[in-house]
Amino acid sequence: MFQYICLNPIAQVGLDVLEEGYQKTENINEASAALVRSASMHDMELPETLDVVARAGAGVNNIPLEACAEKGIVVFNTPGANANGVKELVLAGMFLASRDVNGGVNWVESEKDNPELAKMTEKQKKAYAGCEIAGKKLGVIGLGAIGIRVANAATHLDMEVYGYDPYISVNAAWNLSRNVRHVRNVEDIYRECDYITIHVPLLDATRKMINEEAIALMKPDAVILNFARDLLVDEEAVVAALAEGRLKKYVSDFPNNTTAGKPGCIVTPHLGASTEESEDNCAVMAAQEIRNYLENGNIRNSVNFPNCDMGECTTAGRVAVLHKNSKGVIGQFSSIFGECDINIANMTNKSKGNYAYSMFDLDSPATEEAVAKMKAMQGVIKVRIVK
């Protein structure tokens, strides 16, 4: 029986995945797994019992990844589970930036008690006129789960779509519409596009990648959309450009004092994944990742350890080892099994940066002696008997 804790409310459809063989607890010191959305874990004391943290969402800034890795806690996220919800809000952002719907709605609300409202409308509507997005150029920076959906949808809105991603995966490339122009230089998007939407992870290399230099290349009527991370954009530079008429609009899903209420800024309260469907999808995917790791030892969508999958164990035993990525470790594991008269039927080893993960399918169950010897090895973080 595995115990798990929810650090935030998690959709019931996800918890239903953890019905058989799992029990919910309110005490993290009893939990093998933790499900989390936005709760900060940076100041939490992580118990030795904790084997896995699953973030029901994509961002993991609220989780101490290095500290978890050092304790042998595998951290998962749920990439793509909320992609459609974010895609739809990006499209909504483009429409709001093109047609002054907010201004028109606010005017009608302000005149709701005016008996002349209907007569005033025909004259007043000119103040909220906008443009259509059909025929305009959209630049999509980052062709991951969300970026691809945005790009493909925009082609069906008769937009001319440019996509930029120097690290696009083979799977993503197959899913990308042939009508999307794949450009090799992000500056081409800055120069050519009427709408620019960014969908890349926040890294040192991408922090404030849309900055004063990038804005200087853009059209004065360009619209920037940011539904990925606020720090991808130098928002002080954006606000200054808007005030000087060097940009048309900035649409962001990350409220702060820099952009809230500023002319030309349309800011929503982090609504990207705030749909019932997205929350359900993330919860189900997170629960499935927990089950696959705890029951089979398989790692999919981890952010601090390598992905590694040996399917369901069909041998007498399976041992999983989280360890530092160092030379000679696999040979030492093999020697220990040999010394303990245990035959390895199958094995795999994957690495990611400073950390590695090894799984061994065995013709006989692992013994306490073998596990103790592996735990005593330098660089070994955690040993789990999966079966």
Side-chain angles (χ1 to χ4, degrees), residues 139-159:
V140 182
I141 302 173
L143 296 170
I146 296 171
I148 280 182
R149 286 175 179 253
V150 172
N152 289 348
T155 65
H156 296 292
L157 296 172
D158 295 325
M159 299 188 80

Side-chain angles (χ1 to χ4, degrees), residues 293 297 318-322 357-360 382-386:
Y293 179 66
R318 175 175 287 181
V319 173
V321 188
L322 298 159
Y357 186 58
S358 300
M359 283 199 290
F360 302 90
K382 183 177 285 188
V383 180
R384 291 182 58 236
I385 297 179
V386 178

Side-chain angles (χ1 to χ4, degrees), residues 142-145 148 152 165 167-177:
L143 296 170
I148 280 182
N152 289 348
D165 191 333
Y167 308 108
I168 187 170
S169 68
V170 173
N171 185 59
W174 275 108
N175 289 322
L176 188 65
S177 168

Side-chain angles (χ1 to χ4, degrees), residues 3-19:
Q3 295 197 71
Y4 69 91
I5 187 171
C6 296
L7 302 178
N8 292 106
I10 301 296
Q12 185 59 46
V13 67
L15 301 186
D16 289 344
V17 175
L18 300 176
E19 278 192 342

Side-chain angles (χ1 to χ4, degrees), residues 65-371:
L65 301 182
E66 187 68 19
C68 286
E70 288 294 328
K71 282 182 166 286
I73 301 169
V74 179
V75 179
F76 295 94
N77 66 349
T78 55
N82 58 12
N84 189 69
V86 178
K87 175 207 76 176
E88 291 185 359
L89 197 62
V90 172
L91 297 178
M94 279 200 292
F95 289 123
L96 291 174
S98 305
R99 309 285 293 274
D100 191 7
V101 176
N102 284 336
V105 169
N106 291 338
W107 176 78
V108 171
E109 180 67 20
S110 69
E111 299 292 337
K112 65 181 184 297
D113 297 323
N114 189 333
E116 301 297 314
L117 174 60
K119 293 181 180 179
M120 295 167 60
T121 296
E122 286 305 306
K123 181 179 180 180
Q124 185 66 28
K125 72 179 183 181
K126 298 176 182 178
Y128 311 110
C131 67
E132 299 178 13
I133 66 172
K136 302 299 190 299
K137 295 178 180 179
L138 169 66
V140 182
I141 302 173
L143 296 170
I146 296 171
I148 280 182
R149 286 175 179 253
V150 172
N152 289 348
T155 65
H156 296 292
L157 296 172
D158 295 325
M159 299 188 80
E160 189 175 340
V161 184
Y162 294 70
Y164 170 78
D165 191 333
Y167 308 108
I168 187 170
S169 68
V170 173
N171 185 59
W174 275 108
N175 289 322
L176 188 65
S177 168
R178 66 180 64 185
N179 295 319
V180 176
R181 299 186 183 184
H182 192 202
V183 300
R184 298 183 180 276
N185 195 328
V186 71
E187 282 79 11
D188 291 338
I189 284 180
Y190 297 152
R191 293 189 187 96
E192 298 292 331
C193 293
D194 305 293
Y195 299 83
I196 298 168
T197 181
I198 186 167
H199 300 284
V200 299
L202 179 61
L203 307 169
D204 289 340
T206 59
R207 186 179 298 269
K208 294 191 176 182
M209 66 176 294
I210 296 186
N211 50 27
E212 179 60 40
E213 291 75 17
I215 294 169
L217 299 174
M218 297 179 189
K219 301 176 180 181
D221 59 351
V223 174
I224 299 173
L225 301 112
N226 183 7
F227 289 83
R229 290 288 181 272
D230 53 350
L231 294 177
L232 295 169
V233 176
D234 184 342
E235 294 186 327
E236 290 82 2
V238 165
V239 170
L242 289 167
E244 296 165 8
R246 294 186 288 118
L247 282 176
K248 180 181 178 181
K249 296 285 183 182
Y250 176 59
V251 188
S252 169
D253 200 27
F254 307 98
N256 56 54
N257 298 120
T258 301
T259 56
K262 297 297 192 301
C265 293
I266 300 172
V267 186
T268 52
H270 205 187
L271 299 177
S274 294
T275 67
E276 292 182 10
E277 294 85 353
S278 287
E279 292 183 7
D280 286 354
N281 291 341
C282 288
V284 169
M285 188 171 178
Q288 289 172 338
E289 290 167 344
I290 287 174
R291 289 201 64 158
N292 200 17
Y293 179 66
L294 292 180
E295 297 173 26
N296 299 311
N298 297 324
I299 297 178
R300 298 175 187 170
N301 302 318
S302 174
V303 293
N304 63 344
F305 279 96
N307 289 340
C308 188
D309 195 333
M310 289 182 67
E312 186 176 346
C313 180
T314 57
T315 57
R318 175 175 287 181
V319 173
V321 188
L322 298 159
H323 56 93
K324 293 294 180 68
N325 184 18
S326 53
K327 297 178 181 179
V329 173
I330 303 303
Q332 294 181 62
F333 291 148
S334 299
S335 296
I336 289 173
F337 285 123
E339 292 167 5
C340 296
D341 197 29
I342 300 172
N343 186 56
I344 299 173
N346 193 14
M347 63 167 287
T348 187
N349 168 260
K350 301 292 182 180
S351 63
K352 183 176 185 177
N354 295 325
Y355 299 96
Y357 186 58
S358 300
M359 283 199 290
F360 302 90
D361 279 359
L362 310 172
D363 285 335
S364 57
T367 62
E368 292 185 8
E369 178 189 6
V371 171

